[in-house]
Amino acid sequence: MLPSRSGDLAISPDASARRRLPALTATFVTLLYAVGYLVWERNDWGSPAIRNVVGNVAFMPLNLAVATMTALASRSTVLDPG
């Protein structure tokens, strides 16, 4: 699909559906992770030392995922205002 005006993006109609699926998948996985952590934390499973370690380590995968998505987004030319 070609842009109709100068400055328009050439995006096919099904492109938004393809981009939406990974975002929804990441959101769903993050939701499951958060609910699992909340259930584990609120039920006091494990010793206090284990709960302390898991409480500190539990957010590392989320931070890594955010850093990865930020790096991927920074390489996208669609986001370049210039």
Side-chain angles (χ1 to χ4, degrees):
M1 170 183 251
L2 295 175
S4 59
R5 294 180 295 168
S6 176
D8 285 350
L9 298 175
I11 300 175
S12 64
D14 64 332
S16 64
R18 283 183 285 155
R19 283 187 300 192
R20 193 175 321 135
L21 183 61
L24 290 176
T25 303
T27 302
F28 184 69
V29 168
T30 303
L31 178 68
L32 287 178
Y33 188 84
V35 168
Y37 174 74
L38 181 65
V39 167
W40 185 83
E41 189 70 34
R42 296 299 293 170
N43 285 317
D44 291 331
W45 292 334
S47 69
I50 296 294
R51 284 200 321 265
N52 188 24
V53 169
V54 170
N56 290 327
V57 174
F59 294 98
M60 288 182 186
L62 296 175
N63 292 338
L64 181 62
V66 168
T68 302
M69 287 189 275
T70 302
L72 291 173
S74 71
R75 297 174 56 199
S76 176
T77 58
V78 174
L79 301 175
D80 186 18

